[in-house]
Amino acid sequence: MKIKKAIFPVGGLGTRFLPATKSMPKEMLPIVDKPLIQYAVEEAADAGIEQFIFVTSRGKSAIENHFDHSFELENNLLSKGKRDTLKTAQEMLKIPGSFAYVRQQEPAGLGHAVWCARHLIANEPVAVILADDLISGSSTIKQMIDNYTSGNMLAVMDVDKRDVSSYGIITPGKALGNNVTEILGLVEKPSIEKAPSKMAVVGRYIIEPAVFEILEQQNRGASNEIQLTDAIASRIGSSNCSGYKFSGERFDCGSKLGFIQANIKLSVQRSEMKKKLKSWLQDEILDGKI
Ligand code: G1P
């Protein structure tokens, strides 16, 4: 099935990264030299997504500027003959009209953010990508689209039992092949005692149009927010709900630890830094000097 649109909820306040995020969107924080949101957009583009819909909020204009021309910068690089750097500055540009922005006026939850994009979605399944969840390797949303037939599909992975209360947690059903698992139930941020498994939802979704109708009710759930998980859960029994066990490594870049881990891991993978960074890590960290 062809999926051409992706929603990127980027309205969050990023309070876990203050003061860095006081006047800068958390999605613009770099992993090595590229902002988190660019990784997400590239993952979507690799999956054949053609329309990129950002649900923003006040103070997020840096994201819009990032995916637009910067004539001063480009002219400067051109006049200095820095063609490679110019290419880097232009590589996030897509054909005109590919990017759309809608405002989420209040931080009322992920479900609310997705609902804010409703007028840009026709009667079609759509991808949802959370830039905070960086997944290295080949495009996870492409893997999901390749295996999607109907209903709702969510990326899932096993997490530490102690961490279940930070995630949407699924009740897994039977294995359907190609890393796809049936989902029998879904609960947002359960306590350890109430969690049906330790298989968590990670920020990649393919949602069916009916989810928007449910979000319309504006029912609040965990953390008194309108939860995407709840809307998807209420479709179980009426349409297919499946989990996709992706192959890449996921970094929780919404947390400082995950963000630093992603920076270290992806830096070590860069040929220009690999040797020096590895030997520095060995000498300064592993040998216990710090
Ligand atoms: C959101 C979702 C949750 C999911 C998580 C993945 O939570 O509500 O179901 O497991 O993303 O990162 P948040 O991290 O925004 O609290």
Side-chain angles (χ1 to χ4, degrees):
M1 172 161 317
K2 285 204 171 138
I3 294 176
K4 294 290 170 202
K5 296 178 187 172
I7 299 173
F8 301 84
V10 291
L13 292 172
T15 47
R16 279 192 278 179
F17 280 92
L18 283 169
T21 50
K22 185 171 176 239
S23 62
M24 182 183 78
K26 66 173 174 166
E27 297 79 12
M28 288 302 293
L29 291 171
I31 303 297
V32 192
D33 51 10
K34 206 191 281 186
L36 272 168
I37 189 64
Q38 195 179 335
Y39 287 93
V41 165
E42 287 177 359
E43 182 185 325
D46 285 348
I49 297 293
E50 293 170 357
Q51 295 181 42
F52 305 80
I53 300 163
F54 296 78
V55 182
T56 69
S57 62
R58 289 173 291 282
K60 299 278 181 169
S61 54
I63 296 176
E64 294 183 39
N65 294 335
H66 185 70
F67 292 103
D68 200 350
H69 281 289
S70 168
F71 287 114
E72 190 181 0
L73 174 67
E74 289 170 42
N75 286 340
N76 185 285
L77 294 172
L78 194 63
S79 69
K80 288 184 176 147
K82 295 188 174 175
R83 295 200 170 270
D84 286 349
T85 317
L86 179 63
K87 209 171 144 229
T88 308
Q90 289 176 333
E91 70 185 0
M92 65 287 287
L93 296 170
K94 300 268 179 273
I95 54 169
S98 305
F99 291 88
Y101 299 88
V102 289
R103 284 272 185 121
Q104 183 185 21
Q105 289 145 327
E106 47 170 335
L110 179 58
H112 182 258
V114 169
W115 174 78
C116 286
R118 66 198 177 284
H119 295 306
L120 299 173
I121 310 295
N123 190 26
E124 59 192 333
V126 62
V128 177
I129 299 181
L130 308 188
D132 276 2
D133 281 326
L134 175 63
I135 307 178
S136 66
S138 72
S139 169
T140 295
I141 199 71
K142 177 176 190 317
Q143 295 168 34
M144 291 171 66
I145 291 172
D146 288 347
N147 286 286
Y148 176 80
T149 50
S150 67
N152 297 294
M153 181 181 260
L154 294 69
V156 293
M157 67 179 268
D158 264 323
V159 295
D160 203 296
K161 200 164 191 327
R162 284 168 302 186
D163 295 330
V164 289
S165 60
S166 303
Y167 294 94
I169 301 290
I170 69 164
T171 307
K174 54 181 185 294
L176 301 171
N178 291 336
N179 301 317
V180 181
T181 307
E182 184 187 17
I183 293 179
L184 301 174
L186 191 54
V187 54
E188 181 70 14
K189 301 195 171 70
S191 61
I192 297 185
E193 299 74 36
K194 291 201 175 140
S197 74
K198 54 192 188 74
M199 193 162 284
V201 176
V202 171
R204 303 289 181 280
Y205 310 76
I206 299 172
I207 57 170
E208 59 176 340
V211 169
F212 287 93
E213 286 163 33
I214 293 163
L215 290 171
E216 193 78 35
Q217 313 301 318
Q218 307 279 294
N219 289 330
R220 292 192 179 238
S223 316
N224 197 30
E225 290 181 344
I226 299 164
Q227 296 290 353
L228 182 59
T229 311
D230 294 343
I232 295 172
S234 72
R235 292 289 302 156
I236 295 174
S238 305
S239 63
N240 289 328
C241 191
S242 56
Y244 182 78
K245 294 182 187 173
F246 54 95
S247 57
E249 184 177 6
R250 176 254 184 180
F251 298 93
D252 175 11
C253 294
S255 78
K256 285 174 203 161
L257 180 65
F259 175 75
I260 298 296
Q261 286 169 332
N263 263 303
I264 293 173
K265 192 87 179 244
L266 271 66
S267 297
V268 169
Q269 286 169 359
R270 292 281 185 94
S271 55
E272 77 270 21
M273 273 187 283
K274 184 174 183 164
K275 215 168 148 213
K276 282 190 176 165
L277 182 57
K278 275 181 96 171
S279 87
W280 181 84
L281 285 168
Q282 183 68 46
D283 295 348
E284 295 287 327
I285 314 277
L286 298 178
D287 290 348
K289 286 191 195 159
I290 291 180

